[in-house]
Amino acid sequence: MLNKPVLVESLLVFTIVLLLHLVVWDRYSWCALALALQAFYVQFKWDHLLQLGGAVFQFRTGANSGLLPASMVIPLLGIVMKERCRSAGIVYFERFGIVVASTGMLVALFLSVIAVGVTKPVPTNTCILTGVAGSVIIYTMKHSLTVSEVIEVLEVLLIFVYLSMILLYLLPRCFTPGEALLVLGGTSFVLNQLIKRSLNVVEGRGDPIDFFLLVAVVGVVLLGLFFTVLFIFMDSCTWISSMFFHMMTAVLGLGVIMPWLYRLIQRNPLFWLLQFLFQTQARVYLLLYWTFLAASACGVVFYQNAKRSSECKKHQASTVTRKYFHFIVVATYVPGLIYDRQLLHVAAVLCLAVFIFLEYIRYFRIKPFGQTLRQLLSLFLDERDSGPLILTHIYLLLGMSLPVWLFPRSCAPKGTLPGVGALAPYSGVLAVGVGDTIASVFGSTMGEIKWPGTKKTVEGTMTAIFAQIIAVALILIFDSSVNLNSSYAWILVSVTLVSLLEAYTTQIDNLLLPLYLQIMFM
């Protein structure tokens, strides 16, 4: 029997894909439609495998596979990036968008083939559909990509295969198949880009900010893989292991990551970072303001834990309490987006590295803070943290930061940005910071009418749409670089579709919603 919420979620994704290609129709549109159609059928095979326990790895429980919404994110991002950079006349980033779209399609197709291959009996119709979609995609790639670009796409696919086998084995129940596609596919692409740029360093070419993002992401992932393998053979809870952890972190950071970054930006990374952070007085004020907000967030964590100790050991933070952090994040990102996006870009990378490093300390129980972090963060667990890692706060940071990191700055005109694309960097603030927060708070406190087949309420969704429209109006008032040029109908449609997707998806909404809203805005 077909799952009605999954059908509605699929309908919303199809609507977004069709709306996008009504605006931008080219040879890649056929590929995107073929990929969406086969992913729709294959995700039911994945759902069946998850219910029977027949999947190769252990995936997150309580959610469907999410293959269709995840499969379309990277290809659609590449397509809109290609169109935006083509209209700006920047050929290099136009080609880069084509590579991103092709990579996303091939990785999604590979995940579909895996599901079809392990399904017994073999689903003949789905196999035929997957074969047709694969043929369309490969034929288009053959006539669109150069030899070097084809090699680059295959490199990402190879990294994705090995990374998936390693991380899905080491981290059971942390991802759904769709979330694994997004997280591991994105990490594979970042790793391949870093290797490619490291081998082809040209002095003075490339933005140090982009290199900083690539090295930081790859560095923390490699650090985690190293210690995961190491602590298979050692007890991570002892003081000796903890001292070894801190010592090897310093060695890898100073001996591998720093020289790697030095090679890319051709200057001392620490001096560059300090000069960048304190370049202007406005940046110092922003950093002080963000430090105050970070201290406030820590205060909420300590207060809630003290409250749990005095009331009940089994006390868990309510939905409203967890959304405090969403309000704090909105207060963090909005000034950065208005006054200094480059500083926000770098600060978000630093925060991501710190969050992941603290999660390593919590996961491995590294002394002296590992056990304390476990106790503090256990209060804020929800049903999505069913695996050994706690990822919801990292997903929140990613959801807010990805629209800033992925916005093609080189393809944006100087000064005022015309059209709805100017709102693309605000996608995380609108979808997660405003929409998801308001929907959860109002839905859990005042909602009565539930969407069919879900726990989400109609009142929460409607309030979220209204709140996001108000937020757009406030952005127009306070951010002089945004000029919508009467694109209000497209904004309303985009916000409505993404808010409905929030109501029906069982995937990590902090990660999925900002990316779809950014695609629609771009």
Side-chain angles (χ1 to χ4, degrees):
M1 183 177 177
L2 296 179
N3 191 326
K4 288 184 179 180
V6 176
L7 288 175
V8 177
E9 177 191 54
S10 303
L11 178 62
L12 291 168
V13 174
F14 271 114
T15 303
I16 292 173
V17 173
L18 290 172
L19 280 174
L20 175 67
H21 291 289
L22 284 175
V23 178
V24 180
W25 184 270
D26 57 16
R27 66 175 73 178
Y28 302 98
S29 301
W30 294 110
C31 296
L33 292 175
L35 180 68
L37 191 61
Q38 70 85 30
F40 171 73
Y41 280 94
V42 172
Q43 77 173 350
F44 290 107
K45 306 304 176 187
W46 264 114
D47 292 341
H48 185 64
L49 286 172
L50 295 178
Q51 290 169 5
L52 297 179
V56 179
F57 301 104
Q58 296 182 56
F59 291 99
R60 183 165 66 85
T61 56
N64 67 312
S65 65
L67 188 65
L68 174 58
S71 293
M72 300 312 301
V73 168
I74 299 177
L76 293 182
L77 271 173
I79 289 171
V80 296
M81 185 182 297
K82 170 184 72 71
E83 288 300 317
R84 191 175 186 90
C85 294
R86 184 172 68 176
S87 63
I90 302 178
V91 178
Y92 174 81
F93 284 102
E94 180 187 347
R95 299 302 305 175
F96 182 75
I98 294 173
V99 172
V100 171
S102 302
T103 302
M105 291 178 187
L106 204 61
V107 169
L109 192 66
F110 171 78
L111 202 62
S112 297
V113 171
I114 293 295
V116 172
V118 297
T119 301
K120 303 298 180 185
V122 176
T124 306
N125 294 336
T126 307
C127 284
I128 294 173
L129 190 59
T130 302
V132 171
S135 300
V136 171
I137 292 170
I138 292 172
Y139 177 82
T140 305
M141 287 174 58
K142 177 186 175 183
H143 291 82
S144 304
L145 302 178
T146 63
V147 174
S148 61
E149 289 170 343
V150 171
I151 293 173
E152 186 176 349
V153 170
L154 294 177
E155 287 170 349
V156 176
L157 180 60
L158 186 64
I159 295 171
F160 174 77
V161 171
Y162 282 107
L163 205 58
S164 299
M165 289 192 296
I166 295 170
L167 291 182
L168 292 179
Y169 172 75
L170 295 174
L171 303 173
R173 304 180 308 280
C174 285
F175 309 100
T176 65
E179 291 160 6
L181 172 61
L182 274 180
V183 175
L184 301 182
T187 305
S188 303
F189 194 86
V190 167
L191 178 56
N192 185 68
Q193 282 295 307
L194 182 57
I195 295 171
K196 175 185 172 184
R197 298 188 188 194
S198 299
L199 295 175
N200 299 283
V201 174
V202 179
E203 187 172 356
R205 182 175 179 182
D207 192 338
I209 294 175
D210 294 328
F211 290 137
F212 186 66
L213 171 62
L214 295 177
V215 173
V217 171
V218 173
V220 293
V221 170
L222 294 179
L223 196 68
L225 288 174
F226 174 78
F227 285 117
T228 300
V229 174
L230 179 67
F231 288 135
I232 292 175
F233 307 99
M234 295 176 62
D235 182 5
S236 63
C237 301
T238 65
W239 273 105
I240 294 176
S241 297
S242 298
M243 290 175 64
F244 187 74
F245 173 88
H246 295 300
M247 182 181 70
M248 287 305 300
T249 299
V251 169
L252 291 172
L254 298 175
V256 178
I257 296 174
M258 295 290 285
W260 201 347
L261 189 55
Y262 178 85
R263 171 175 168 76
L264 291 168
I265 68 175
Q266 300 294 311
R267 67 188 81 169
N268 187 300
L270 286 177
F271 291 159
W272 169 80
L273 183 60
L274 290 173
Q275 182 184 11
F276 178 85
L277 291 177
F278 301 103
Q279 192 171 15
T280 64
Q281 193 174 23
R283 288 188 174 180
V284 175
Y285 290 147
L286 272 175
L287 290 172
L288 290 173
Y289 170 66
W290 289 340
T291 303
F292 168 74
L293 290 177
S296 301
C298 294
V300 172
V301 173
F302 288 122
Y303 172 75
Q304 290 296 324
N305 275 273
K307 187 177 178 182
R308 175 173 64 172
S309 300
S310 61
E311 291 181 359
C312 175
K313 291 292 183 183
K314 295 184 178 180
H315 171 73
Q316 287 294 114
S318 65
T319 300
V320 175
T321 301
R322 284 199 293 268
K323 296 308 175 183
Y324 286 161
F325 298 103
H326 287 234
F327 286 117
I328 291 174
V329 170
V330 170
T332 302
Y333 273 73
V334 170
L337 285 166
I338 294 175
Y339 296 111
D340 198 330
R341 293 185 184 180
Q342 286 193 327
L343 179 64
L344 179 64
H345 187 291
V346 172
V349 174
L350 287 172
C351 284
L352 178 65
V354 170
F355 275 23
I356 296 177
F357 183 70
L358 289 176
E359 180 58 22
Y360 291 157
I361 292 176
R362 186 206 65 84
Y363 175 64
F364 294 122
R365 294 186 175 91
I366 300 299
K367 294 179 182 297
F369 302 114
Q371 191 59 38
T372 303
L373 283 172
R374 278 180 173 263
Q375 294 171 356
L376 291 174
L377 295 180
S378 63
L379 174 66
F380 301 94
L381 293 177
D382 61 14
E383 68 277 1
R384 295 174 296 183
D385 291 310
S386 57
L389 296 183
I390 299 178
L391 297 172
T392 46
H393 60 297
I394 297 175
Y395 284 140
L396 174 60
L397 179 64
L398 282 174
M400 301 291 289
S401 303
L402 282 172
V404 180
W405 294 340
L406 297 176
F407 184 72
R409 301 188 307 276
S410 303
C411 302
K414 303 297 181 183
T416 303
L417 301 178
V420 71
L423 288 174
Y426 286 94
S427 301
V429 171
L430 292 171
V432 175
V434 177
D436 181 44
T437 303
I438 297 298
S440 296
V441 172
F442 277 82
S444 61
T445 55
M446 294 185 289
E448 295 183 0
I449 306 172
K450 294 187 181 297
W451 291 106
T454 75
K455 297 179 181 179
K456 307 295 179 66
T457 64
V458 176
E459 293 90 342
T461 303
M462 295 299 106
T463 311
I465 296 171
F466 183 64
Q468 289 175 81
I469 297 301
I470 293 177
V472 170
L474 292 174
I475 291 170
L476 279 172
I477 294 171
F478 291 103
D479 191 345
S480 59
S481 67
V482 177
N483 178 18
L484 297 183
N485 287 349
S486 303
S487 306
Y488 304 109
W490 186 265
I491 293 172
L492 181 60
V493 169
S494 303
V495 166
T496 302
L497 286 173
V498 171
S499 297
L500 289 171
L501 187 61
E502 186 273 336
Y504 276 96
T505 189
T506 56
Q507 305 305 296
I508 299 292
D509 47 12
N510 289 349
L511 187 63
L512 195 66
L513 303 183
L515 293 174
Y516 268 108
L517 191 59
Q518 182 179 20
I519 288 167
M520 292 294 288
F521 283 167
M522 284 179 63

